Amino acid sequence: MDDRDSAAAREPVVTAEDHGAARVITLNRPGARNAIDVPMRERLLDELERAAGDPDVRAIVLTGAGGTFSAGGDVRSMEGAGPDAVRARLAPVHRAVRLIATCGTPVIAAVEGAAAGLGVSLAAACDHVVAAEDARFVAAFGKVGLVADGGLLWTLPRRVGMGRAKEMLVFGRTVPASRAFEIGLADSLAPPGTALGAALERAAEAAALAPLSVAAAKRLLARTDHGLEQLLEAEREEQTALFGSADFAEGRAAFAERRTPRFEGR
């Protein structure tokens, strides 16, 4: 192993860096195209939990190092995995996807290059997906004899519809960024190499809103098991709580005074 290999081995497999009120969490195995092995799964969950629990973090941006979002699960690390090992591999991923979908902090994916397999799952769980114009999405789990994981069987049909989801999951079609934008898998496009910058702009937009309001919206949107009546009841409770918040008082005052509100998340 030369010095460059040693340095790469010492690099954390997931990094986190604050940009104003946004925290950028980066999948950081560029030599493996950010393939997600067990240590990366565990570190990603740790960083997501830390960011979601930090009141100073108003938005989270998830991206990949080296011009690739993620090649998906690390297939080489799967050899010989028995039932217990498979469940252990899935546990941190399931917790991470639940957190992305339900935490009060907006999560934005910045996709350069390829988002494949589990990489698509992580992106699709996010609240907003920014894709570089030359990015591509592929969920051909059938080519390695597995079924989609990371919640993709739930998130993808919600984003693109059942028929389009089957094109990716059953037929293994690769979806270029332009098509991903057309069908709703990507929410916005950016020139190649600028997805992270565009995602940070969206993060700044989200960070300017009242954090309690954003968190309530995410909680209500995540309650897909409820019909209209149950949702209206949940909405009533959320809105009642927000009426008593300091942020609502600040929002009212800023509206009356025609100034930008200064929300504190309380």
Side-chain angles (χ1 to χ4, degrees), residues 100 109 119-127 129 152 155-156 159 185:
I100 291 169
V120 179
S121 303
L122 292 173
C126 292
D127 301 303
V129 178
L152 192 60
T155 55
L156 189 61
R159 276 187 165 272
L185 178 52

Side-chain angles (χ1 to χ4, degrees), residues 62-83:
L62 180 61
T63 193
T68 297
F69 186 75
S70 174
D74 189 342
V75 177
R76 289 180 297 180
S77 70
M78 300 177 188
E79 184 175 356

